[in-house]
Amino acid sequence: MITRRRLDPLQVLRATAGPLVLVSIYSVGVVLYEQETDTPLDLPIAIPAMLGTAISILLGFKTSAAYDRWWEARKIWGGIVNDSRTFGRQVVSFLRPASEEDPAVIQRLAEDLLHRHIFWVYALSRALRKEAVLQGNLELLPEGEALALERSVNVPNELLDRQARDLRGALDSGWLDTYQHVAIEGSLTRLTDHMGRCERIKNTGFPAHYG
């Protein structure tokens, strides 16, 4: 969902050009008919009043629905930002070496997890815009992973799955304890929920009669 601070008059004109032409032709026809036949066409005031009330109710509903949609998207984005910070902090603070040989391996794992998450944000934005997901920022992924992701139907979801598998390996290696693993898995679960909500907004448009 893309919002702008200013309303483009040309965009409004393009959206209303058809109805404006029809109404103008109809109005001119009514005036010409009255002038040619000298027959006044009176319209009871109750009719436009009733139509105006109905239109105002429909416009109010549509405005409210559009704002609710925008507000939900804003909350989802805020959730992604907050849970991304939480995930990064957990990766840095939770991973601890179990032996003298582990620090370098853990540092590499932490870098892979954090860089993969950054790429996940890019991938999610591109997937929602139906753009090529695996173009640009591929240096954030571990070596060879971009090629493996080409076979994935949903790249952002596959990235979260790979995060979960790496964290499971860290648990098995003793670099995380059970409670830490549960906490960091909770962050991944919330990120998955945010992704699903983004996809719902993207794939669910307004019903045609509301448009």
Side-chain angles (χ1 to χ4, degrees):
M1 181 181 296
I2 301 174
T3 59
R4 298 179 177 87
R5 293 184 179 274
R6 294 183 178 179
L7 191 64
D8 185 3
L10 293 179
Q11 184 180 5
V12 176
L13 182 61
R14 286 193 295 267
T16 59
L20 282 175
V21 171
L22 293 177
V23 170
S24 299
I25 293 174
Y26 178 79
S27 301
V28 171
V30 170
V31 172
L32 293 177
Y33 177 82
E34 287 186 332
Q35 291 178 348
E36 293 295 330
T37 62
D38 198 24
T39 303
L41 299 177
D42 295 330
L43 187 66
I45 190 62
I47 294 179
M50 181 179 63
L51 292 176
T53 302
I55 291 174
S56 65
I57 293 174
L58 292 175
L59 288 177
F61 171 80
K62 187 174 182 180
T63 301
S64 176
Y67 183 81
D68 287 343
R69 189 179 177 92
W70 174 82
W71 185 256
E72 182 184 9
R74 182 179 180 274
K75 291 192 294 184
I76 293 171
W77 175 245
I80 290 176
V81 171
N82 293 339
D83 287 324
S84 295
R85 292 169 176 167
T86 299
F87 178 76
R89 187 181 68 250
Q90 289 171 332
V91 168
V92 172
S93 62
F94 285 176
L95 290 174
R96 288 292 179 267
S99 65
E100 295 181 356
E101 293 79 14
D102 291 342
V105 179
I106 288 180
Q107 182 178 357
R108 180 62 181 175
L109 173 61
E111 291 176 355
D112 287 346
L113 290 169
L114 296 177
H115 289 167
R116 187 188 285 127
H117 179 73
I118 296 172
F119 184 81
W120 174 81
V121 178
Y122 285 114
L124 179 59
S125 67
R126 291 168 184 159
L128 293 173
R129 296 186 176 102
K130 297 188 182 302
E131 299 174 349
V133 177
L134 298 175
Q135 287 188 1
N137 310 108
L138 297 179
E139 69 278 0
L140 294 169
L141 295 173
E143 185 177 356
E145 191 164 300
L147 184 62
L149 288 172
E150 291 180 354
R151 299 187 294 270
S152 177
V153 177
N154 190 324
V155 174
N157 190 61
E158 175 65 21
L159 290 168
L160 292 178
D161 286 343
R162 289 175 179 268
Q163 299 282 63
R165 289 197 292 269
D166 283 355
L167 291 169
R168 177 65 190 186
L171 175 65
D172 294 338
S173 299
W175 301 333
L176 290 174
D177 63 35
T178 303
Y179 296 104
Q180 291 171 334
H181 184 257
V182 170
I184 202 168
E185 268 291 336
S187 296
L188 287 180
T189 299
R190 290 192 298 274
L191 290 168
T192 304
D193 291 340
H194 297 321
M195 179 176 66
R197 294 187 183 103
C198 288
E199 292 170 342
R200 183 185 68 218
I201 291 178
K202 174 64 178 180
N203 298 327
T204 306
F206 284 117
H209 50 283
Y210 291 147

